[in-house]
Amino acid sequence: MAKTLAEFNPRPYMELAIEEMRKSQNEPRDDGKVPPQVGAILVMPNGDVHRAYRGELRDGDHAEYTLLERKLAHMKLDEGILFTTLEPCVKRSNPKVACCKRTSKARIKTVYVGIEDPDPTVDGKGIEHLIESGATVVMFDSDLQKQIREANKEFLDQAVERKSAPAPAEKSRPMEQSANKGFGDLSAEALQRFIIDARLNYRIEDQSFQQYLIDLGALVKDSGTDEPRATMAGILLFGFEPRLLYKQASLHAHIKYPDGRVEQTDFDGPLVLIPEQIEAWLKKVLPVYKDTSSFKRADIMDFPIEVLREAVINAIVHRDYNIEGAKAYLEIDSEKIVVKSPGGPLPVITLDQLNTFSAPSISRNPIITYVFGKMDYVEEKGFGMQSLKSLNSTYDLPLPEYTYNDPFLTLTFPRNMEAVKSVSAAPGIKSLTEEEIKGYEFIKASGSVSRSDYEKEFGLLRKSAERQIKRLVDLSLIVKEGGSKNTVYKAVPIKSDEQK
């Protein structure tokens, strides 16, 4: 395995970790809790592969503990690469040591993680600990994440409902810290909307509902006060006027019509009320035409509203709320629709993954993500990759592009194929014909494409396909990989202004 990280192929080891995960042995429990299935793999520089799974040697032993302490305690591990199907735990009852700390103590510098811990008060903290300890953290491929979630469905369902306030010794994120506002400073309308949409069996006035919000991380019990205090997450999600405390907690939307008119508005109330408000605004400002392809006429939006809605919700859920003065933006004109979200991609996600719609699931704001998931605003964590990818195959529209220019991650939707030429940040695209643009979009959406794939997609003869592909290569829009018998073509990553 004497290769650089760039040359190292992690996929087989991800799959091997999942194989180990499926061997997990559940310990007998009287409380009805379902333990997770977890597999761990350590790959050493000489090619040796060590493996373990939860409960392999003793009931209840975590996979990482079994691997690092029981099997490899005698070895120097700092050059190893660790693969684990679940984010290493961050808290264990004394004298046990959390798995994220076992990993950092072993000085392991590269860790591949399957999925995050689903508890919204813990989610991501094991990953944060590893990064802060100097490790490079990479998430498993999104299709493998799906396998892990399916195998752990019962554990995941229980974990997000479990009362699990963070351990006092662990540092809390800004989102979990008191905003010095009480339960009475939360909006009854927002709380009721959450109760209804999340199908919770509470009334706002119930003490058990306050405890639920404490367990969630929206409220916190401050020492010296009887009334729980709202956290930053609680104010953003449910507060009467979040911008009184967090001026950046706003989404500014505006549309510029072809005749020069501009209509704009700010969405700056409780986050749980914004999705419906955004959808209503989009239906008002975007043009509608009549679909006459059947006897029953129907109103069709100029641009698929469900894709835009998901893009805006992702901006709300995944933005960095700690960047002062940075609002989120939704900008529409005749050529493009732009969603700007404060904060760059998380360290474990690259722009290339975003632009090839292969980004793994991970959240910057677990509490907000959890609440939006309970309300069915998001189906699962992540950036809605499949929804964005569907624009090409389902709606025959261009694919959107991500760019990052500090402090904004920008998602740009060209509104038609011709608009791609003026909207796209990809070099050389302005000289393409519409047919060539569609070819580039196909390769970009597919990830990698052979010449025969290209021929079949567009019904081309071999020479025509080769000519179009060569033009895309010459313009540095795609790159050729592999040998003569297994040649494939991939889109060249789109660079941000800071990378050019």
Side-chain angles (χ1 to χ4, degrees):
M1 196 199 72
K3 298 180 179 180
T4 66
L5 190 57
E7 297 170 328
F8 176 63
N9 179 14
R11 177 79 183 198
Y13 303 107
M14 294 180 189
E15 294 171 346
L16 192 58
I18 291 176
E19 286 182 22
E20 289 299 302
M21 173 196 76
R22 297 188 190 282
K23 300 175 186 176
S24 295
Q25 299 291 314
N26 287 355
E27 65 270 22
R29 299 188 65 130
D30 297 328
D31 57 9
K33 292 180 181 177
V34 177
Q37 295 184 38
V38 184
I41 298 291
L42 191 73
V43 186
M44 299 303 293
N46 64 1
D48 287 350
V49 177
H50 305 274
R51 60 188 77 190
Y53 55 86
R54 182 185 171 96
E56 179 179 354
L57 301 179
R58 299 284 189 279
D59 281 349
D61 278 0
H62 290 197
E64 299 95 327
Y65 169 70
T66 298
L67 181 64
L68 303 180
E69 297 294 336
R70 288 196 174 273
K71 292 187 174 185
L72 303 176
H74 62 290
M75 288 179 58
K76 189 171 182 287
L77 305 177
D78 50 334
E79 295 299 320
I81 298 177
L82 178 65
F83 293 78
T84 177
T85 57
L86 181 67
E87 173 185 3
C89 65
V90 297
K91 55 181 181 178
R92 296 284 281 159
S93 300
N94 191 44
K96 295 179 181 178
V97 178
C99 288
C100 66
K101 293 180 179 178
R102 290 191 188 280
T103 303
S104 61
K105 285 179 181 295
R107 298 195 291 268
I108 294 171
K109 295 301 182 187
T110 304
V111 183
Y112 285 80
V113 175
I115 62 173
E116 298 164 277
D117 188 310
D119 184 332
T121 63
V122 176
D123 192 345
K125 288 183 178 177
I127 292 171
E128 287 177 5
H129 172 84
L130 293 173
I131 292 172
E132 289 171 358
S133 299
T136 297
V137 179
V138 184
M139 303 302 291
F140 278 31
D141 295 342
S142 56
D143 62 316
L144 298 182
Q145 289 187 320
K146 184 177 180 182
Q147 291 184 34
I148 296 168
R149 290 193 182 94
E150 288 172 350
N152 282 284
K153 184 179 186 307
E154 196 171 356
F155 162 74
L156 296 174
D157 288 345
Q158 284 189 358
V160 294
E161 300 298 340
R162 192 174 298 145
K163 300 184 189 305
S164 61
E170 299 292 340
K171 72 173 185 180
S172 59
R173 301 182 179 102
M175 279 284 180
E176 300 163 2
Q177 295 170 4
S178 172
N180 294 318
K181 293 288 183 180
F183 181 73
D185 292 297
L186 303 184
S187 161
E189 179 186 4
L191 292 171
Q192 189 62 37
R193 172 58 59 192
F194 175 49
I195 288 172
I196 292 171
D197 288 359
R199 297 170 292 280
L200 301 177
N201 190 27
Y202 297 113
R203 297 174 301 170
I204 292 175
E205 61 270 23
D206 292 343
Q207 286 297 314
S208 55
F209 180 52
Q210 287 194 27
Q211 185 59 51
Y212 178 91
L213 294 178
I214 291 171
D215 297 333
L216 174 64
L219 296 176
V220 66
K221 277 287 187 72
D222 277 350
S223 58
T225 61
D226 294 329
E227 182 186 23
R229 313 301 288 173
T231 62
M232 180 179 182
I235 292 295
L236 291 172
L237 286 162
F238 310 115
F240 275 116
E241 295 185 64
R243 292 193 69 193
L244 290 177
L245 287 180
Y246 308 108
K247 300 295 186 291
Q248 65 274 25
S250 177
L251 186 144
H252 177 77
H254 79 258
I255 180 169
K256 183 177 181 180
Y257 295 102
D259 62 6
R261 289 183 299 115
V262 174
E263 183 172 337
Q264 56 188 340
T265 187
D266 285 301
F267 299 94
D268 49 17
L271 294 185
V272 297
L273 301 180
I274 289 180
E276 289 187 359
Q277 296 168 359
I278 287 282
E279 184 168 349
W281 185 80
L282 287 170
K283 288 179 177 178
K284 183 182 74 168
V285 302
L286 287 177
V288 175
Y289 66 91
K290 290 289 184 183
D291 180 7
T292 59
S293 60
S294 63
F295 287 109
K296 188 176 181 180
R297 296 185 175 217
D299 289 341
I300 304 295
M301 298 299 298
D302 171 75
F303 201 92
I305 200 88
E306 62 273 16
V307 176
L308 288 183
R309 182 176 183 269
E310 185 162 356
V312 172
I313 287 175
N314 279 326
I316 292 171
V317 169
H318 298 296
R319 61 162 289 186
D320 188 340
Y321 284 93
N322 295 304
I323 301 177
E324 294 186 8
K327 298 180 182 178
Y329 292 88
L330 172 60
E331 303 167 346
I332 304 174
D333 62 29
S334 58
E335 286 193 323
K336 63 187 179 298
I337 300 173
V338 177
V339 181
K340 296 170 67 174
S341 176
L346 291 170
V348 297
I349 294 177
T350 66
L351 271 178
D352 189 24
Q353 288 176 314
L354 293 174
N355 278 314
T356 54
F357 311 103
S358 60
S361 295
I362 187 168
S363 172
R364 175 180 272 117
N365 304 306
I367 298 171
I368 294 175
T369 302
Y370 174 71
V371 168
F372 272 54
K374 288 287 288 182
M375 298 176 74
D376 294 328
Y377 285 151
V378 291
E379 290 185 7
E380 60 180 48
K381 295 179 187 177
F383 288 82
M385 294 289 103
Q386 294 309 308
S387 174
L388 300 180
K389 194 174 180 178
S390 72
L391 280 171
N392 189 272
S393 57
T394 304
Y395 302 101
D396 197 29
L397 287 168
L399 294 171
E401 287 182 2
Y402 281 98
T403 54
Y404 176 63
N405 298 299
D406 191 22
F408 292 104
L409 180 66
T410 300
L411 179 60
T412 302
F413 296 87
R415 295 184 69 172
N416 52 61
M417 286 296 176
E418 186 61 28
V420 174
K421 294 183 180 183
S422 59
V423 168
S424 175
I429 204 166
K430 291 178 174 58
S431 61
L432 297 183
T433 65
E434 184 168 319
E435 184 180 41
E436 290 167 340
I437 289 174
K438 288 183 177 181
Y440 170 63
E441 295 275 316
F442 170 63
I443 294 172
K444 185 177 170 184
S446 301
S448 66
V449 168
S450 67
R451 189 208 68 250
S452 60
D453 293 333
Y454 197 93
E455 289 176 20
K456 292 175 185 177
E457 175 68 16
F458 298 105
L460 296 173
L461 297 175
R462 175 170 179 162
K463 286 189 176 180
S464 297
E466 287 177 342
R467 185 172 59 253
Q468 287 188 18
I469 289 172
K470 182 178 184 302
R471 179 159 164 75
L472 296 176
V473 170
D474 290 344
L475 290 169
S476 299
L477 289 166
I478 64 173
V479 64
K480 178 181 177 180
E481 292 186 357
S484 57
K485 292 185 179 180
N486 58 351
T487 299
V488 294
Y489 299 90
K490 297 182 177 180
V492 173
I494 297 170
K495 295 181 179 180
S496 67
D497 285 350
E498 296 172 354
Q499 295 172 309
K500 293 178 181 177

